[in-house]
Each structure stands twice: as structure tokens, then as C-alpha cells.
């Protein structure tokens, strides 16, 4: 269905044409002075220049023409040349009723849906997940869902770091702990019994241990490098061990991402791009793009318009090993061959900006994909502690993701026990949802590119721009509906507008599609968070002003119930687009 701003733009453009002006560049925006009007157009200024008339004259003529249209309560001009518009309640109600019966709740669907591969998450196998993995997971999941809500097809790929030095370190360490296993020797036959069993506990412990060891023990460090290279060359015993490590590691990872309600469609890793490296090198060589530089093979990606020097992208290091950029370029080939997407998007820490600029330029230069394929890197800032530095444990260490989630869930549980929480539902599950909502909303309310301070007390608060407040609003509606004996999945039509808060609420709901569009175009879920807060606050005002349950006027009561049902749907739909699950009661 069409957005209200788009309908109004056409209506106003028609009026410009009717008055003899060019209507092709007319725009209509929402007004932030609802006391004056709901919408406004500033297009009289441009038209007046061409017509060589004062802007207010044009604005006056056009607003007169608009005034004849019954959808406007008010169509006025204001000096020096504004056109101020307010819809009739009948029109706003009719438009909202269309939203009620629209399967996408008025969220405009892409006319030509894109197929998008979204690369997010990016954890490294064998290394425990830590708080640094929160933002890529939370933001990536939200961008994926927002794009889907706007009608696109999105394939989320976790892009595991499963092929790097961390695996070599683990192999080197295990080879000393379990020297008798054939997977470390030339006698490996491929039998399962030749590979040691590793428990999740040992895996959690072995990587940090080996990594520290390599810092002091040069011989061990070299051993780990050799093991990495041999693994990448396909040494069978190592591959068998690597598979086992992957299995244990992925199981743990999946559990933690599940807790966060983050779900990947693909669990490919850097290793899956390995088979595409020869093709990549062939293309780069044939196109004459590779050049030697200090023993390494590089591709120049400097462009004329660059203001600062752009370093070449390194494809092969002097020791012949592939590096980060090589893998990302090979992954582009892999993704294109497998899925032929229209867009390839990446969500990572913004400090990787340069890397992605180089990779995208190299991919375009080498024509790894057709010209129309769009690349995008959407970087995020850091989650800091209250001291303004990257979030750490109390003793200054890196906090495990699992411990972090547990702390927040415990905080949520405590809060529920303090309040007069009554629920027959699973308290643990509710605490998880409330805790995760607090984490996610607290993160997403900030523009992704900004740093923010993680503050659990603030994030779990029932007041302010918090996930808890939004979930609470949903549960409040649930409990009113329950008292009225109404099924929340029911949908009803509105009969009219009876209070100012309702009018504002309807306007907000009608404009939610624009918020989704903006969030998607800027890859910035914070606009949806702000909109959720506005909807929840307006609902709260509306509910405060209106005694729904004992309203004697049946028509009014029914309309209010319809508005409650609709508000609830919008809250749930927007939360879902952010990857936040709701609770029945709290
Ligand atoms: N594993 C990488 C890291 O730990 C992140 C991967 C991001 N995605 C990518 N295609 N490079 O930094």
C-alpha cells in the first residue's frame, strides 16, 4: 500500500499543476509543529523563482486549490511561502483502516525486491565469544530484519573466521597435550579414533592458553604458524582435527546466538572461500592487476579523486600466505557464483572501513561481479563501560559473551522479583527476553556508527527509551485486552478519533513506513527505536486520558479497542524488525 506522504506529494503536485506551476519536484514533509499543521510543503519557493512571483502568492494559490480537496481539514499558506496541511479525521481514520487490513501493516514493500547477502557476526572459531561480538550480531540481525520487513530477500551469512592462526595455535597446543594421536603424525589413516576428543571446556581454555604461550615461546609460535599453513594446504590429520574443533565450537556459538535471538541462514567460513582463491588469482593475473611490492603481490586501488593516499590491497604476502583481503575477495566470488545477489553488505567494526574500501575497489576493478552489484560496508562504534573505555570485566579482562548475557538476565530476574511480577509463564525465559531486549534496545537506540556506554541499570529501567519500557507497554495492552476478553490477534476497524493523543498516535502509526524506509536506507535501526518510544509514549497518554474498560459509548469503545490492537501490532512488528522478542506479561 502507498505511504501517506507519497499520496500527499501527488495531491500537492497536482494542485501545483492545476495552478499552472511545475509539479514535478514537489515535496511534502511532516511538520514538527503539530499545533500548526500535520504536513507541510516548501515547494512554492522553487516554483516562485521560475514564475517570477513572490513565494507567498504561489503558496496562496496552491493552498486555495488544495482547500477544495475534502481530505484536508486545513490547507493554508504562511508567509513567506509555506503550505501547511492538516488532514481531516475521517481521512486519517480511513487511511489507518487501510493499514489495519494491509498484510504488511502499511510498511511499503520494495517494488523491485533485492537479493541481499548480509555478512555479519564474524566470530572466530575456537576463540570464545566475547562482548565484542555483541554489536555485529545485534546490528546485523536488525538490518537483516528491517530489509525483510521492507520486502527484500536477505541471506545472512555469519562468515566464520575458521581458517586462521587461532586454529594453528590450538592444533599446536593439542599436539603437545595428545602426542600419541595419529592425526598429528604421518600415520593418519582417517579413522575417528586417531583424533583426540575435545570438550567445550577444554576448547574454551586451550585457545587463550596457546595464544599467551605463543607470545613468550618463539618456537611454539612458529609451530602454530606451520600448523596453520599445513592446515590450509589440506594436511589430512589437521583437517580431521579442525572438523572436530569446528563442531564443538559451533555448537557453543549457536547456543549463544540463539539466546540473543540472532539467526544466520548460512554458516560459511573463510575456509569455504579457499577453493575460490585460484580463480581470484587467475582473474587478477589475466587482467594485469597484480604487481609485486616488497616481495608481496598487491593490487593498486588508488583513485584520482582520492584526497588521501589509498594503500594498495595485499593479495599474497611474501611468505605466500593468503590474508584477510584475499579471503574477502574470494568470498565475493563464492557468493556471486552461489547466489548472484544484487547487493553484498557487511556489518563490522568501523575500524575495518579501509579494508572494505580496498576490497570493494579491487572487486570492481577486477570485475569479479557485474557492475550493478552494490557493495556496502556499515561500520559500528564501540560499546564502552561507564569509564568511557571499551567494556571490560571488573578485573580489566575481556568479558565472555555468555557471562555478559547471564549478568543481564540475572539483573532482569532480580527486577522481576522486586516488582509485583505475577506470571504463570516460564520466569527464566521471560528474564532472557527482557534482558536481551534491554541489551539490544540499549544498543540500537544509538546510531550504529557512534560509541555508547553500556549501563545495565539504565537499560533495564521501566522508564525512558529502554527495551523494558517498550516490552512493558505491550504487556499493559495485553492485560487490558485480557480483561476485556479480546484475543490480541483480532483486528478491528476504527470508528473515529476522540482525543488529541489518538490523532497523534494515528499519525505516528501512518508514518512508521517512512521510518522503516529511512532506517533501511541509512542502515540505522535507531530511527525504529525512537519511533517505538514515541508510539509507546503516545499510547500511554491516550490510555491515561481514556477510560476504555467502562466506556459506555459502544462505538467509541470499539474504536479504542481497535486502536489498542493496532498499537500492539505495530509495537510487536517493529520490535521483531529489531530482533527483539516480546513477553506476555511482566
Ligand atoms: N572475523 C573477523 C574479525 O574477527 C570479522 C569478519 C567480518 N567479515 C568479513 N567478511 N571480513 O574481525
Amino acid at each position: 500500500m502507498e505511504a501517506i506522504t507519497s499520496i500527499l506529494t501527488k495531491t500537492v503536485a497536482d494542485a501545483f499543476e492545476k495552478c499552472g506551476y511545475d509539479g514535478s519536484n514537489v515535496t511534502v514533509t511532516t511538520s514538527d509543529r503539530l499545533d500548526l499543521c500535520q504536513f507541510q510543503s516548501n515547494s512554492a519557493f522553487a516554483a516562485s523563482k521560475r514564475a517570477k512571483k513572490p513565494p507567498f502568492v504561489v503558496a496562496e494559490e496552491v493552498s486555495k486549490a488544495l482547500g477544495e480537496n475534502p481530505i484536508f481539514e486545513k490547507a493554508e499558506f504562511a508567509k513567506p511561502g509555506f503550505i501547511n496541511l492538516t488532514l481531516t479525521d475521517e481521512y486519517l481514520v480511513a487511511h489507518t483502516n487501510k493499514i489495519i487490513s494491509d498484510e504488511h501493516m502499511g510498511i511499503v514493500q520494495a517494488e523491485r525486491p533485492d537479493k541481499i547477502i548480509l555478512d555479519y557476526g564474524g566470530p572466530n572459531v575456537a576463540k570464545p565469544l566475547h562482548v565484542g561480538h555483541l554489536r555485529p550480531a545485534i546490528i546485523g540481525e536488525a538490518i537483516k530484519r528491517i530489509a525483510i520487513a521492507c520486502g527484500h530477500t536477505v541471506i545472512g551469512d555469519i562468515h566464520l573466521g575458521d581458517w586462521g592462526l587461532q586454529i594453528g595455535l590450538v592444533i599446536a597446543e593439542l599436539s603437545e597435550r595428545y602426542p600419541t594421536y595419529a592425526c598429528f603424525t604421518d600415520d593418519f589413516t582417517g579413522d575417528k579414533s586417531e583424533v583426540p576428543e575435545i570438550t567445550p571446556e577444554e576448547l574454551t581454555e586451550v585457545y587463550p592458553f596457546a595464544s599467551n604461550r605463543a607470545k613468550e615461546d618463539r618456537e611454539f609460535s612458529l609451530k602454530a604458524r606451520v600448523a596453520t599453513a599445513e592446515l590450509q594446504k589440506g594436511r589430512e590429520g589437521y583437517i580431521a582435527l579442525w572438523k572436530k574443533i569446528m563442531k564443538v565450537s559451533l555448537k557453543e556459538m549457536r547456543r549463544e546466538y540463539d539466546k540473543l535471538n540472532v539467526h544466520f541462514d548460512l554458516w560459511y567460513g573463510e575456509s569455504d572461500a579457499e577453493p575460490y582463491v585460484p580463480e581470484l588469482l587467475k582473474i587478477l593475473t589475466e587482467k594485469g592487476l597484480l604487481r609485486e611490492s616488497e616481495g608481496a603481490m598487491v593490487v593498486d586501488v588508488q583513485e584520482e579523486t582520492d584526497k588521501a593516499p589509498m594503500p594498495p590491497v595485499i593479495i599474497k604476502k611474501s611468505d605466500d600466505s593468503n590474508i584477510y583481503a584475499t579471503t574477502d575477495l574470494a568470498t565475493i566470488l563464492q557468493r556471486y557464483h552461489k547466489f548472484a545477489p544484487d547487493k553484498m553488505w557487511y556489518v563490522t567494526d568501523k575500524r575495518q572501513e579501509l579494508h572494505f574500501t580496498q576490497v570493494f575497489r579491487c572487486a570492481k576493478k577486477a570485475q569479479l561481479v557485474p557492475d550493478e552489484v552494490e557493495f556496502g560496508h556499515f561500520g559500528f562504534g564501540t560499546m564502552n563501560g561507564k569509564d568511557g573505555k571499551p567494556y571490560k570485566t571488573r578485573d580489566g579482562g575481556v568479558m565472555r559473551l555468555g557471562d555478559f548475557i547471564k549478568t543481564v538476565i540475572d539483573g532482569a530476574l532480580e527486577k522481576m522479583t522486586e516488582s509485583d511480577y505475577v506470571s504463570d509463564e516460564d520466569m527464566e525465559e521471560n528474564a532472557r527476553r527482557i534482558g536481551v531486549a534491554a541489551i539490544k534496545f540499549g544498543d540500537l537506540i544509538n546510531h550504529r556508527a557512534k560509541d555508547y556506554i553500556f549501563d545495565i541499570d539504565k537499560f533495564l529501567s521501566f522508564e525512558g527509551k529502554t527495551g523494558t519500557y517498550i516490552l512493558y507497554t505491550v504487556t499493559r495492552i495485553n492485560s487490558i485486552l485480557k480483561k476485556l476478553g479480546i484475543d490480541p490477534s483480532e483486528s478491528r476497524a476504527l470508528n473515529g478519533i476522540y482525543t488529541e493523543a489518538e490523532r497523534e498516535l494515528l499519525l505516528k502509526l501512518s508514518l512508521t513506513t517512512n521510518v522503516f524506509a529511512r532506517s533501511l536506507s541509512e542502515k540505522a535501526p535507531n530511527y525504529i527505536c525512537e519511533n517505538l518510544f514515541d508510539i509507546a509514549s503516545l499510547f500511554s497518554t491516550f490510555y491515561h486520558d481514556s477510560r476504555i474498560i467502562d466506556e459506555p459509548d459502544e462505538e467509541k469503545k470499539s474504536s479504542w479497542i481497535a486502536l489498542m490492537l493496532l498499537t500492539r501490532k505495530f509495537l510487536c512488528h517493529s520490535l521483531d524488525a529489531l530482533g527483539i522478542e516480546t513477553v506476555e506479561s511482566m
Side-chain angles (χ1 to χ4, degrees):
M1 93 173 247
E2 196 173 1
I4 197 155
T5 41
S6 143
I7 299 172
L8 290 180
T9 304
K10 282 186 196 149
T11 310
V12 176
D14 283 349
F16 268 83
E17 294 280 345
K18 213 172 128 194
C19 299
Y21 304 107
D22 176 16
S24 55
N25 290 316
V26 162
T27 55
V28 174
T29 55
T30 54
S31 135
D32 37 26
R33 287 281 309 271
L34 285 181
D35 52 325
L36 291 181
C37 59
Q38 296 169 340
F39 296 91
Q40 70 181 66
S41 173
N42 301 342
S43 299
F45 292 97
S48 73
K49 272 197 200 118
R50 268 172 267 134
K52 299 201 169 61
K53 284 186 193 172
F56 79 89
V57 174
V58 178
E60 185 176 12
E61 284 176 52
V62 176
S63 51
K64 267 219 183 89
L66 286 167
E68 286 160 20
N69 190 326
I71 75 169
F72 296 114
E73 173 77 37
K74 270 194 306 197
E76 296 167 340
F77 80 100
K79 278 188 176 169
F82 303 110
I83 299 169
N84 294 343
L85 301 168
T86 296
L87 296 168
T88 61
D89 283 353
E90 290 71 29
Y91 187 77
L92 192 53
V93 166
H95 184 80
T96 313
N97 281 336
K98 274 194 202 145
I99 291 180
I100 293 176
S101 44
D102 179 50
E103 60 172 320
H104 303 291
M105 301 170 60
I107 308 296
V108 176
Q109 301 294 294
E111 255 170 57
R112 292 202 349 217
D114 284 320
K115 190 200 274 180
I116 304 161
I117 298 240
L118 184 68
D119 178 315
Y120 69 107
N124 299 318
V125 173
K127 287 193 199 177
L129 292 176
H130 55 80
V131 287
H133 292 106
L134 264 180
R135 297 211 79 191
I138 294 176
I139 298 168
E141 183 74 18
I143 293 178
K144 178 183 82 181
R145 289 165 176 261
I146 294 167
I148 292 173
C150 296
H152 299 284
T153 302
V154 188
I155 306 171
D157 184 4
I158 187 166
H159 197 71
L160 298 163
D162 61 351
W163 208 223
L165 182 61
Q166 84 273 20
I167 309 279
L169 284 162
V170 172
I171 294 178
E173 177 60 26
L174 292 176
S175 75
E176 293 185 13
R177 292 190 191 180
Y178 305 99
T180 56
Y181 282 85
C183 68
F184 300 113
T185 69
D186 294 334
D187 308 331
F188 184 70
T189 64
D191 194 89
K192 273 193 193 136
S193 65
E194 295 169 359
V195 182
E197 279 308 323
I198 340 156
T199 61
E201 293 72 31
E202 180 164 20
L203 191 58
T204 316
E205 171 270 325
V206 69
Y207 170 75
F209 180 85
S211 162
N212 281 331
R213 185 175 164 194
K215 281 179 202 141
E216 284 140 29
D217 182 342
R218 284 200 55 192
E219 202 180 311
F220 179 74
S221 161
L222 185 67
K223 189 171 177 179
R225 279 174 202 286
V226 172
T228 311
E230 289 190 339
L231 170 75
Q232 295 185 352
K233 282 195 195 104
R235 178 169 161 167
E236 280 176 28
Y238 286 4
I239 295 276
L241 179 58
W242 169 71
K243 284 192 177 149
K244 193 159 262 185
I245 297 170
M246 286 281 280
K247 204 168 157 195
V248 177
S249 186
L250 293 199
K251 197 169 161 204
E252 294 293 294
M253 261 181 203
R254 213 182 271 268
R255 248 216 338 240
E256 283 176 24
Y257 283 118
D258 278 350
K259 260 189 225 156
L260 287 174
N261 193 32
V262 169
H263 308 283
F264 301 95
D265 303 297
L266 303 175
W267 284 73
Y268 284 130
E270 296 180 349
S271 65
D272 295 291
E274 191 70 17
Y276 295 86
V277 172
E279 182 184 342
L280 172 70
L281 295 176
K282 188 166 164 258
I283 298 175
L284 295 177
T285 312
E286 278 174 8
K287 301 223 150 112
L289 296 172
L290 277 177
R291 117 181 126 76
E292 209 212 287
S293 166
E294 295 165 37
M297 296 308 284
V298 304
V299 174
D300 289 312
V301 287
Q302 177 94 32
E303 287 173 4
E304 262 173 40
T305 48
D306 288 341
K307 296 211 170 68
M310 171 67 60
V313 49
I314 305 173
I315 302 292
K316 281 249 173 228
K317 283 204 295 196
S318 43
D319 65 0
D320 206 32
S321 59
N322 298 331
I323 54 167
Y324 198 41
T326 327
T327 309
D328 267 322
L329 286 161
T331 305
I332 289 174
L333 282 177
Q334 178 206 6
R335 288 181 177 157
Y336 195 73
H337 285 315
K338 277 196 167 4
F339 305 102
D342 304 294
K343 297 184 170 162
M344 296 195 196
W345 289 351
Y346 300 76
V347 176
T348 77
D349 189 307
K350 65 181 177 197
R351 284 169 294 190
Q352 297 200 18
E353 182 76 49
L354 175 66
H355 163 77
F356 283 104
T357 307
Q358 293 178 309
V359 165
F360 298 162
R361 284 186 182 188
C362 182
K364 288 275 172 190
K365 220 174 158 180
Q367 292 172 299
L368 299 186
V369 293
D371 269 348
E372 319 76 75
V373 175
E374 176 198 290
F375 291 114
H377 173 244
F378 308 107
F380 53 79
T382 310
M383 177 175 105
N384 288 325
K386 283 189 185 156
D387 58 359
K389 299 198 186 105
Y391 192 87
K392 290 264 154 56
T393 54
R394 240 172 245 164
D395 55 12
V398 181
M399 194 179 228
R400 292 270 170 80
L401 186 62
D403 295 341
F404 175 82
I405 301 175
K406 188 171 178 317
T407 316
V408 180
I409 295 180
D410 287 349
L413 254 179
E414 205 174 299
K415 224 167 163 119
M416 286 155 63
T417 344
E418 271 169 24
S419 73
D420 44 0
Y421 182 88
V422 265
S423 170
D424 350 321
E425 291 164 70
D426 184 348
M427 191 116 161
E428 291 274 329
E429 170 61 8
N430 272 7
R432 180 190 68 78
R433 290 180 178 218
I434 295 167
V436 171
I439 299 175
K440 288 191 165 186
F441 200 90
D443 183 303
L444 295 171
I445 186 86
N446 307 284
H447 188 282
R448 71 174 151 76
K450 284 204 189 128
D451 298 348
Y452 73 95
I453 290 176
F454 180 83
D455 180 344
I456 179 165
D457 298 323
K458 189 172 133 195
F459 290 6
L460 276 172
S461 165
F462 278 100
E463 274 151 46
K465 296 180 179 180
T466 68
T468 317
Y469 172 57
I470 312 293
L471 290 195
Y472 173 65
T473 308
V474 175
T475 62
R476 245 173 108 194
I477 300 181
N478 289 346
S479 88
I480 308 164
L481 290 173
K482 203 167 175 183
K483 275 196 199 128
L484 289 161
I486 288 169
D487 181 346
S489 65
E490 193 185 306
S491 78
R492 294 193 180 196
L494 300 169
N495 300 322
I497 293 176
Y498 308 91
T499 60
E500 182 55 36
E502 284 171 78
R503 193 170 292 113
E504 280 190 43
L505 182 52
L506 290 194
L507 209 51
K508 265 280 161 225
L509 299 180
S510 298
L511 291 166
T512 293
T513 179
N514 303 53
V515 177
F516 270 69
R518 180 169 187 200
S519 280
L520 180 61
S521 93
E522 294 179 32
K523 321 295 176 288
N526 56 305
Y527 302 117
I528 293 181
C529 292
E530 293 285 352
N531 194 57
L532 267 168
F533 176 74
D534 292 346
I535 293 175
S537 307
L538 283 169
F539 175 78
S540 176
T541 313
F542 153 67
Y543 184 62
H544 183 263
D545 295 349
S546 322
R547 303 271 323 143
I548 299 172
I549 294 183
D550 18 82
E551 172 56 48
D553 179 340
E554 279 306 324
E555 197 174 292
K556 198 192 256 187
K557 185 172 177 180
S558 172
S559 193
W560 280 346
I561 293 171
L563 182 55
M564 264 197 306
L565 289 165
L566 183 64
T567 304
R568 184 185 174 282
K569 264 199 194 165
F570 263 89
L571 293 173
C572 295
H573 184 62
S574 292
L575 285 168
D576 185 59
L578 299 175
I580 297 176
E581 297 159 284
T582 53
V583 293
E584 220 15 70
S585 58
M586 73 197 268

